[in-house]
Amino acid sequence: MEGERGSEKRFVFYAIFGFVGLTLLIRLFIMQVLEDKYQESAEANAIQKQTVYPDRGLIFDRNGKLIVYNEPVYDLMVIPREARLPDTMEFCRLFGISKQEFIDKIKAIRAVAPEGVFFSQLSKVDFAKVQEKLSDFPGFYVSRRTVRVYTSNAMANALGYIAEISPEELKRDSSQYYRPGDYVGKSGIEASYEYYLRGEKGVRYQLKNRFNQVVGSYQNGQLDKPAIAGENLISSVDIELQKYGEALMVNKTGAIVAIEPQTGEILALITSPSYNPNLLVGDDFKKNFASISRHPDLLLFNRATQSAYPPGSTFKTVQALIGLQNGVLNDTLRLPCNWSLVKCHPHPYWTTPQTSIQYSCNPFYYQTFRKIVHQKGESFEALQAGYKQWREQVLKFGFGRKLGVDIADEGSGSIPQVERFNKMYKNNWNFSNIYSLSIGQGEMGVTLLQMANLACIIANKGYYYIPHLIKSIGKSGKPLPQYQVRHSVGIDEKHFEPIIKGMAGAFKAGTVGPMAQVVNLYAGDICAKTGTVQNPHGEDHSTFIAFAPCDNPKIAIAVYVENAGFGGIWAATIASLMMQKYLKDTTKVKIQPWQVGRIEATEKMVLEKVFNRRELLRLDSIRKAEKRKQDSIKAILRKKEQEEEIYDDNQLNPQ
Amino acid sequence: MIISSTRNSRNPLNNLDVVSVFVYLILVVWGIMSIYSASYNVENPKPFYDFSSFAGKQFIFALTAIGLIILVFLLDYRLFEDFAYIFYALSILLLIAVVLFGKVVKGQQNWIQIGPVSMQPTEFAKLGVSLALARFLGAPGSKLTDKKIWLGIGIIFIIPALLILKQGDYGSLMVFVLLELALYREGMPFWVITLQIVIAILFVLSLLIKPVYLAFGLFFVFVAITGVMLLIRRKVERSEWIVLIAGFLLAAMFVVSVPKIFAKLKKYHQERIMVLLDEDAVDKKGGAYYNLQQSKIAIGSGGFWGKGFLEGTQTKYDFVPEQHSDFIFCTVGEEFGWAGSFLVIVLFMILLFRVVMIAERQRSRFARIYGYCVASIFFAHFAFNLSMTVGLFPTIGVPLPFMSYGGSSLWSFTLMLFILLKLDMHRNRLFSRD
């Protein structure tokens, strides 16, 4: 057969294959088994890849004052696989730990990761020590990172905090940006602007010799990528106003929200009680987080944006506006203050929409709300339809839904749907079941942010911008696009006139108490509406919305003080102090001669007032303790006296 | 064709070479494991079944390769010979398409994108050329002693060679050169290969020794040879004088001109060659030095038993270039040590010996030549790839068959092997056509 010819050449092939295979095997045997230089090179890990962490973006207030910045700290890192110390004892002496501690620590790190933090946040002295001796300790290196530093104790809940990324967050991270141990914004601005603040990580490749000394950069740094710092943010908050408000709210439970009406920029977002943000920084986080998050006063709960409060009488402005828009009210329509419908307080019997706001007449709004929901007829179906329409209109004001402020910790409040009443009363209900809503009580809840937004809407006569805390991101100079859109509430501008006049009247000669009036710089140039919310669990809540100046509003504000009683007193006073502070700082208004000393006196009264139940209890207990102490002193004295008497009696036999 | 009988002897699978299939499977599975390990991110481990990772993709390539195997087994065995030129033409068309529309990756333009799939036609060209060569040489009456036949062989080689040269894929070009081993089996004289080896040795020597000294050395070799011939035979024929003197002059000219040829090469080619010959002459911070150094450190640090699966430290960083594709052996060497390297080499030896054995037992010339082509290509890839990772050969980008990452190469190697096994299954019914 033809194929047979030349078949002996297959042995040449076998020979060539065998020769090459054997050569490779010998070469590999020399490389892998005989020579140790490759092993040594591998152990020295000639090239080390290091992640360069970017500086997190800074946050400034609206006047350019620094609120949050970074400070470097140094961690001593260890790669257990490479950590073969020639003199472990020396290392332990240097850091003041025992050999057992050293072994345990290395073991613990080795169990979870190829490298880890041996000591975190070295002191400057320790850092200097390590820097010098690092070459003696292969497998150890120092890593620089930064921690957040807050220039004041204010604004903790709005700023939020950063902490180590959790395994769940790591799993959700589709961008592959994060690694275990990275820090990530967990709440507040830190969380919602994480993408802008974090910057871009860099990479550095370094050549190292056997003694773990850096000898140079790999390929002259061609592959290195510098870290790009995060974008700086400018907050709309006036940090001085924020601090002032937090001081006023000390020992009170509640919140303050102040907004610039024309832009929706939040000037102050205060919740009380709060915590010191510098306690949740770096290593202190682990130490303090549990006690802060489990504090009975709910320190991490943002009462300004999360809490659903009944709005009380402040909600009457919304009722009046809807009534006017729907034509069930008009500027001159007068309604009686009929106490048989709902309780009220003494004021002129007949009121128009304007004066009803000024005097906060309850029966007026009982009748108005009835007209609104029954404007299509008296039947149950008409009531349902009327209620539905009313709810739609209220939602346009931003109630009953999340407004979309730029922090995630926002509640939606609630304006109940028709279905809820149908379910509650088994399709058999009428106006008498829902009349509480007419004066902002009953089944409704709003956040204080929504109330401040209402003040903005009235100040702007019919529109608002979604409130936001960041007015400028990086070099763009602009906030996020959704905060540049104007939202209309569907009420004609002309209907705001009587409401604004009524609110001006309320401050001057209405429901606002004289203590708040003292701080009014313009004597009557504040427009306000008070609210006193009945609280079945205790003292009434005090609430207040306002804006100033009336003709050209610069600041709109909402204040809620829990268990502080009548709205015209404490909430109004705090709001007025806030407004005068802001306007005094930003406009050329001068303090009137008659006010000198009075504002300070009012401030002092507010500062000393305590409305925090726990704080009251504490004060009580201190009082009690003092009394007990005095009692015991007295008792001791009395005992002594007695003893002395006995001593006198038994002079001859003292024990 | 109806499977007419249930008798085992009629079942073509009975003739399947189980050893080759077994080795094939081990290499492919080991390849996927190594790719998984090479692209394993210690800080952010991904499961093996994550199909966006290299290992996951290779797993899918392997599954589709099994589909190809079934297809090859279902087709008529005569089809491969009949359609050999069509396969060749298709692969040439693909190569032209690459030159026209291909994308450039790492200085080489050898990728083509068709829809969502990108492929490397060079890998398939190796198969096309093997089939065409086998068909052409295997035709009745064609003999290598016939001068005219060389024209045909030249055309079959030169078209893909030029296209591949245009792409800058020198590795594949050298694989084509090694196809001459198959020609040697069919009667090409061995001195052609010897001549190439001599040229290669002279090239290396002239880079190591100053060409002038080397030329003197060659002169002494010439004198020595003539002296010995004179001493033994007392007489040198006129024609022998011409061959000897011409040989000496050509060799001397070649040696002297080597530095000039060398200078014409691209900088990174020069570095890749010099790094093997003289480490001190190369920039220690340059890519060529570090790439090879990293590859050697990875393999060398494996020791006898290796560091264990997923325990390699050197291949976890991205310094060994192409550690999941061309440098996949680094992972084997580091994680399974000399024992693992030994096993891989032995597996390849078994496969190569087996392929030659299979080729030799074919009755048709087509099948036999095709078998030798497959053996030559596998050997070329195996030898170039491994010697480059251990620093015995300049870095040229050729994948390690069955183990390196890449759909095109896995499919083309699978097709090469299983077309041969298919032909082998029908060897009893294949009769020589001349």
PDB file of all heavy atoms in Angstrom, chain A residues 34-56:
ATOM      1  N   LEU A  34      14.482  23.061  41.421  1.00  0.00           N
ATOM      2  CA  LEU A  34      15.876  23.272  41.810  1.00  0.00           C
ATOM      3  C   LEU A  34      16.170  24.707  42.247  1.00  0.00           C
ATOM      4  O   LEU A  34      16.824  24.926  43.252  1.00  0.00           O
ATOM      5  CB  LEU A  34      16.802  22.862  40.661  1.00  0.00           C
ATOM      6  CG  LEU A  34      16.708  21.379  40.257  1.00  0.00           C
ATOM      7  CD1 LEU A  34      17.731  21.062  39.185  1.00  0.00           C
ATOM      8  CD2 LEU A  34      16.926  20.478  41.474  1.00  0.00           C
ATOM      9  N   GLU A  35      15.681  25.680  41.481  1.00  0.00           N
ATOM     10  CA  GLU A  35      16.026  27.075  41.813  1.00  0.00           C
ATOM     11  C   GLU A  35      15.038  27.651  42.828  1.00  0.00           C
ATOM     12  O   GLU A  35      13.839  27.400  42.738  1.00  0.00           O
ATOM     13  CB  GLU A  35      16.001  27.929  40.537  1.00  0.00           C
ATOM     14  CG  GLU A  35      17.175  27.656  39.632  1.00  0.00           C
ATOM     15  CD  GLU A  35      17.195  28.566  38.418  1.00  0.00           C
ATOM     16  OE1 GLU A  35      16.199  29.277  38.209  1.00  0.00           O
ATOM     17  OE2 GLU A  35      18.204  28.555  37.702  1.00  0.00           O
ATOM     18  N   ASP A  36      15.551  28.419  43.797  1.00  0.00           N
ATOM     19  CA  ASP A  36      14.626  29.046  44.756  1.00  0.00           C
ATOM     20  C   ASP A  36      14.402  30.517  44.430  1.00  0.00           C
ATOM     21  O   ASP A  36      13.629  31.182  45.097  1.00  0.00           O
ATOM     22  CB  ASP A  36      15.130  29.017  46.207  1.00  0.00           C
ATOM     23  CG  ASP A  36      15.948  27.825  46.514  1.00  0.00           C
ATOM     24  OD1 ASP A  36      15.613  26.782  45.945  1.00  0.00           O
ATOM     25  OD2 ASP A  36      16.901  27.937  47.316  1.00  0.00           O
ATOM     26  N   LYS A  37      15.119  31.036  43.424  1.00  0.00           N
ATOM     27  CA  LYS A  37      15.054  32.484  43.256  1.00  0.00           C
ATOM     28  C   LYS A  37      13.641  32.944  42.873  1.00  0.00           C
ATOM     29  O   LYS A  37      13.218  34.020  43.249  1.00  0.00           O
ATOM     30  CB  LYS A  37      16.076  32.972  42.229  1.00  0.00           C
ATOM     31  CG  LYS A  37      15.828  32.511  40.811  1.00  0.00           C
ATOM     32  CD  LYS A  37      16.801  33.201  39.848  1.00  0.00           C
ATOM     33  CE  LYS A  37      16.570  32.733  38.426  1.00  0.00           C
ATOM     34  NZ  LYS A  37      17.479  33.315  37.476  1.00  0.00           N
ATOM     35  N   TYR A  38      12.919  32.082  42.160  1.00  0.00           N
ATOM     36  CA  TYR A  38      11.559  32.480  41.784  1.00  0.00           C
ATOM     37  C   TYR A  38      10.643  32.500  42.999  1.00  0.00           C
ATOM     38  O   TYR A  38       9.793  33.360  43.145  1.00  0.00           O
ATOM     39  CB  TYR A  38      11.006  31.539  40.718  1.00  0.00           C
ATOM     40  CG  TYR A  38      11.804  31.584  39.442  1.00  0.00           C
ATOM     41  CD1 TYR A  38      12.561  30.506  39.034  1.00  0.00           C
ATOM     42  CD2 TYR A  38      11.804  32.737  38.661  1.00  0.00           C
ATOM     43  CE1 TYR A  38      13.302  30.557  37.875  1.00  0.00           C
ATOM     44  CE2 TYR A  38      12.542  32.804  37.497  1.00  0.00           C
ATOM     45  CZ  TYR A  38      13.295  31.704  37.103  1.00  0.00           C
ATOM     46  OH  TYR A  38      14.031  31.768  35.960  1.00  0.00           O
ATOM     47  N   GLN A  39      10.872  31.520  43.866  1.00  0.00           N
ATOM     48  CA  GLN A  39      10.102  31.472  45.100  1.00  0.00           C
ATOM     49  C   GLN A  39      10.316  32.751  45.903  1.00  0.00           C
ATOM     50  O   GLN A  39       9.385  33.351  46.399  1.00  0.00           O
ATOM     51  CB  GLN A  39      10.548  30.271  45.930  1.00  0.00           C
ATOM     52  CG  GLN A  39       9.391  29.457  46.423  1.00  0.00           C
ATOM     53  CD  GLN A  39       9.467  28.037  45.918  1.00  0.00           C
ATOM     54  OE1 GLN A  39      10.354  27.685  45.151  1.00  0.00           O
ATOM     55  NE2 GLN A  39       8.529  27.228  46.340  1.00  0.00           N
ATOM     56  N   GLU A  40      11.597  33.116  45.995  1.00  0.00           N
ATOM     57  CA  GLU A  40      11.920  34.320  46.756  1.00  0.00           C
ATOM     58  C   GLU A  40      11.281  35.540  46.123  1.00  0.00           C
ATOM     59  O   GLU A  40      10.711  36.392  46.797  1.00  0.00           O
ATOM     60  CB  GLU A  40      13.438  34.497  46.843  1.00  0.00           C
ATOM     61  CG  GLU A  40      14.051  33.596  47.894  1.00  0.00           C
ATOM     62  CD  GLU A  40      15.562  33.527  47.749  1.00  0.00           C
ATOM     63  OE1 GLU A  40      16.120  34.390  47.042  1.00  0.00           O
ATOM     64  OE2 GLU A  40      16.158  32.621  48.333  1.00  0.00           O
ATOM     65  N   SER A  41      11.382  35.613  44.807  1.00  0.00           N
ATOM     66  CA  SER A  41      10.781  36.763  44.126  1.00  0.00           C
ATOM     67  C   SER A  41       9.291  36.815  44.380  1.00  0.00           C
ATOM     68  O   SER A  41       8.715  37.872  44.597  1.00  0.00           O
ATOM     69  CB  SER A  41      11.004  36.674  42.621  1.00  0.00           C
ATOM     70  OG  SER A  41      12.353  36.535  42.348  1.00  0.00           O
ATOM     71  N   ALA A  42       8.662  35.651  44.348  1.00  0.00           N
ATOM     72  CA  ALA A  42       7.223  35.627  44.546  1.00  0.00           C
ATOM     73  C   ALA A  42       6.880  36.069  45.958  1.00  0.00           C
ATOM     74  O   ALA A  42       5.928  36.805  46.181  1.00  0.00           O
ATOM     75  CB  ALA A  42       6.680  34.223  44.289  1.00  0.00           C
ATOM     76  N   GLU A  43       7.695  35.601  46.938  1.00  0.00           N
ATOM     77  CA  GLU A  43       7.424  35.986  48.317  1.00  0.00           C
ATOM     78  C   GLU A  43       7.618  37.472  48.517  1.00  0.00           C
ATOM     79  O   GLU A  43       6.879  38.116  49.243  1.00  0.00           O
ATOM     80  CB  GLU A  43       8.322  35.202  49.264  1.00  0.00           C
ATOM     81  CG  GLU A  43       7.712  33.870  49.630  1.00  0.00           C
ATOM     82  CD  GLU A  43       8.747  32.915  50.177  1.00  0.00           C
ATOM     83  OE1 GLU A  43       9.775  33.381  50.693  1.00  0.00           O
ATOM     84  OE2 GLU A  43       8.529  31.699  50.077  1.00  0.00           O
ATOM     85  N   ALA A  44       8.628  38.005  47.863  1.00  0.00           N
ATOM     86  CA  ALA A  44       8.850  39.441  48.000  1.00  0.00           C
ATOM     87  C   ALA A  44       7.744  40.214  47.298  1.00  0.00           C
ATOM     88  O   ALA A  44       7.584  41.401  47.508  1.00  0.00           O
ATOM     89  CB  ALA A  44      10.197  39.816  47.394  1.00  0.00           C
ATOM     90  N   ASN A  45       6.978  39.496  46.482  1.00  0.00           N
ATOM     91  CA  ASN A  45       5.861  40.113  45.784  1.00  0.00           C
ATOM     92  C   ASN A  45       6.328  41.372  45.074  1.00  0.00           C
ATOM     93  O   ASN A  45       5.913  42.466  45.372  1.00  0.00           O
ATOM     94  CB  ASN A  45       4.735  40.438  46.766  1.00  0.00           C
ATOM     95  CG  ASN A  45       3.436  40.615  46.034  1.00  0.00           C
ATOM     96  OD1 ASN A  45       3.364  40.394  44.825  1.00  0.00           O
ATOM     97  ND2 ASN A  45       2.415  41.016  46.747  1.00  0.00           N
ATOM     98  N   ALA A  46       7.222  41.164  44.164  1.00  0.00           N
ATOM     99  CA  ALA A  46       7.951  42.259  43.529  1.00  0.00           C
ATOM    100  C   ALA A  46       7.083  43.450  43.161  1.00  0.00           C
ATOM    101  O   ALA A  46       7.510  44.582  43.252  1.00  0.00           O
ATOM    102  CB  ALA A  46       8.663  41.733  42.294  1.00  0.00           C
ATOM    103  N   ILE A  47       5.869  43.174  42.760  1.00  0.00           N
ATOM    104  CA  ILE A  47       5.021  44.302  42.406  1.00  0.00           C
ATOM    105  C   ILE A  47       3.830  44.311  43.335  1.00  0.00           C
ATOM    106  O   ILE A  47       3.194  43.287  43.562  1.00  0.00           O
ATOM    107  CB  ILE A  47       4.550  44.196  40.949  1.00  0.00           C
ATOM    108  CG1 ILE A  47       5.755  44.238  40.034  1.00  0.00           C
ATOM    109  CG2 ILE A  47       3.589  45.314  40.625  1.00  0.00           C
ATOM    110  CD1 ILE A  47       5.451  43.780  38.652  1.00  0.00           C
ATOM    111  N   GLN A  48       3.591  45.445  43.899  1.00  0.00           N
ATOM    112  CA  GLN A  48       2.451  45.539  44.795  1.00  0.00           C
ATOM    113  C   GLN A  48       1.438  46.494  44.195  1.00  0.00           C
ATOM    114  O   GLN A  48       1.765  47.590  43.769  1.00  0.00           O
ATOM    115  CB  GLN A  48       2.913  46.042  46.152  1.00  0.00           C
ATOM    116  CG  GLN A  48       1.880  45.780  47.212  1.00  0.00           C
ATOM    117  CD  GLN A  48       2.345  46.259  48.552  1.00  0.00           C
ATOM    118  OE1 GLN A  48       2.955  47.319  48.654  1.00  0.00           O
ATOM    119  NE2 GLN A  48       2.063  45.502  49.581  1.00  0.00           N
ATOM    120  N   LYS A  49       0.227  46.010  44.164  1.00  0.00           N
ATOM    121  CA  LYS A  49      -0.850  46.840  43.609  1.00  0.00           C
ATOM    122  C   LYS A  49      -1.562  47.491  44.777  1.00  0.00           C
ATOM    123  O   LYS A  49      -2.021  46.810  45.678  1.00  0.00           O
ATOM    124  CB  LYS A  49      -1.813  45.934  42.843  1.00  0.00           C
ATOM    125  CG  LYS A  49      -2.947  46.648  42.168  1.00  0.00           C
ATOM    126  CD  LYS A  49      -3.831  45.616  41.478  1.00  0.00           C
ATOM    127  CE  LYS A  49      -5.053  46.267  40.883  1.00  0.00           C
ATOM    128  NZ  LYS A  49      -5.949  45.269  40.291  1.00  0.00           N
ATOM    129  N   GLN A  50      -1.596  48.792  44.765  1.00  0.00           N
ATOM    130  CA  GLN A  50      -2.256  49.481  45.871  1.00  0.00           C
ATOM    131  C   GLN A  50      -3.395  50.327  45.334  1.00  0.00           C
ATOM    132  O   GLN A  50      -3.261  50.981  44.304  1.00  0.00           O
ATOM    133  CB  GLN A  50      -1.272  50.405  46.582  1.00  0.00           C
ATOM    134  CG  GLN A  50      -0.291  49.662  47.450  1.00  0.00           C
ATOM    135  CD  GLN A  50       0.623  50.605  48.182  1.00  0.00           C
ATOM    136  OE1 GLN A  50       0.830  51.734  47.759  1.00  0.00           O
ATOM    137  NE2 GLN A  50       1.159  50.150  49.286  1.00  0.00           N
ATOM    138  N   THR A  51      -4.478  50.311  46.054  1.00  0.00           N
ATOM    139  CA  THR A  51      -5.585  51.183  45.687  1.00  0.00           C
ATOM    140  C   THR A  51      -5.337  52.543  46.315  1.00  0.00           C
ATOM    141  O   THR A  51      -5.010  52.638  47.486  1.00  0.00           O
ATOM    142  CB  THR A  51      -6.901  50.609  46.212  1.00  0.00           C
ATOM    143  OG1 THR A  51      -7.024  49.295  45.699  1.00  0.00           O
ATOM    144  CG2 THR A  51      -8.080  51.430  45.736  1.00  0.00           C
ATOM    145  N   VAL A  52      -5.466  53.578  45.524  1.00  0.00           N
ATOM    146  CA  VAL A  52      -5.321  54.929  46.051  1.00  0.00           C
ATOM    147  C   VAL A  52      -6.723  55.481  46.247  1.00  0.00           C
ATOM    148  O   VAL A  52      -7.489  55.586  45.291  1.00  0.00           O
ATOM    149  CB  VAL A  52      -4.535  55.827  45.072  1.00  0.00           C
ATOM    150  CG1 VAL A  52      -4.255  57.166  45.718  1.00  0.00           C
ATOM    151  CG2 VAL A  52      -3.255  55.148  44.648  1.00  0.00           C
ATOM    152  N   TYR A  53      -7.042  55.774  47.487  1.00  0.00           N
ATOM    153  CA  TYR A  53      -8.403  56.231  47.771  1.00  0.00           C
ATOM    154  C   TYR A  53      -8.530  57.724  47.514  1.00  0.00           C
ATOM    155  O   TYR A  53      -7.677  58.506  47.921  1.00  0.00           O
ATOM    156  CB  TYR A  53      -8.792  55.899  49.209  1.00  0.00           C
ATOM    157  CG  TYR A  53      -9.142  54.445  49.353  1.00  0.00           C
ATOM    158  CD1 TYR A  53      -8.197  53.509  49.710  1.00  0.00           C
ATOM    159  CD2 TYR A  53     -10.425  54.013  49.064  1.00  0.00           C
ATOM    160  CE1 TYR A  53      -8.512  52.167  49.795  1.00  0.00           C
ATOM    161  CE2 TYR A  53     -10.754  52.682  49.144  1.00  0.00           C
ATOM    162  CZ  TYR A  53      -9.799  51.760  49.513  1.00  0.00           C
ATOM    163  OH  TYR A  53     -10.123  50.431  49.591  1.00  0.00           O
ATOM    164  N   PRO A  54      -9.583  58.116  46.848  1.00  0.00           N
ATOM    165  CA  PRO A  54      -9.784  59.544  46.587  1.00  0.00           C
ATOM    166  C   PRO A  54     -10.297  60.236  47.847  1.00  0.00           C
ATOM    167  O   PRO A  54     -10.864  59.599  48.729  1.00  0.00           O
ATOM    168  CB  PRO A  54     -10.853  59.555  45.503  1.00  0.00           C
ATOM    169  CG  PRO A  54     -11.621  58.302  45.717  1.00  0.00           C
ATOM    170  CD  PRO A  54     -10.662  57.288  46.288  1.00  0.00           C
ATOM    171  N   ASP A  55     -10.061  61.536  47.917  1.00  0.00           N
ATOM    172  CA  ASP A  55     -10.652  62.299  49.017  1.00  0.00           C
ATOM    173  C   ASP A  55     -12.123  62.500  48.721  1.00  0.00           C
ATOM    174  O   ASP A  55     -12.508  62.815  47.602  1.00  0.00           O
ATOM    175  CB  ASP A  55      -9.958  63.662  49.136  1.00  0.00           C
ATOM    176  CG  ASP A  55      -8.615  63.524  49.819  1.00  0.00           C
ATOM    177  OD1 ASP A  55      -8.373  62.455  50.412  1.00  0.00           O
ATOM    178  OD2 ASP A  55      -7.825  64.476  49.771  1.00  0.00           O
ATOM    179  N   ARG A  56     -12.909  62.287  49.756  1.00  0.00           N
ATOM    180  CA  ARG A  56     -14.341  62.486  49.585  1.00  0.00           C
ATOM    181  C   ARG A  56     -14.621  63.979  49.428  1.00  0.00           C
ATOM    182  O   ARG A  56     -13.911  64.820  49.974  1.00  0.00           O
ATOM    183  CB  ARG A  56     -15.054  61.930  50.821  1.00  0.00           C
ATOM    184  CG  ARG A  56     -16.476  61.486  50.574  1.00  0.00           C
ATOM    185  CD  ARG A  56     -17.019  60.741  51.771  1.00  0.00           C
ATOM    186  NE  ARG A  56     -18.462  60.673  51.711  1.00  0.00           N
ATOM    187  CZ  ARG A  56     -19.146  59.754  51.021  1.00  0.00           C
ATOM    188  NH1 ARG A  56     -18.499  58.837  50.356  1.00  0.00           N
ATOM    189  NH2 ARG A  56     -20.467  59.763  50.994  1.00  0.00           N
TER     190      ARG A  56
END
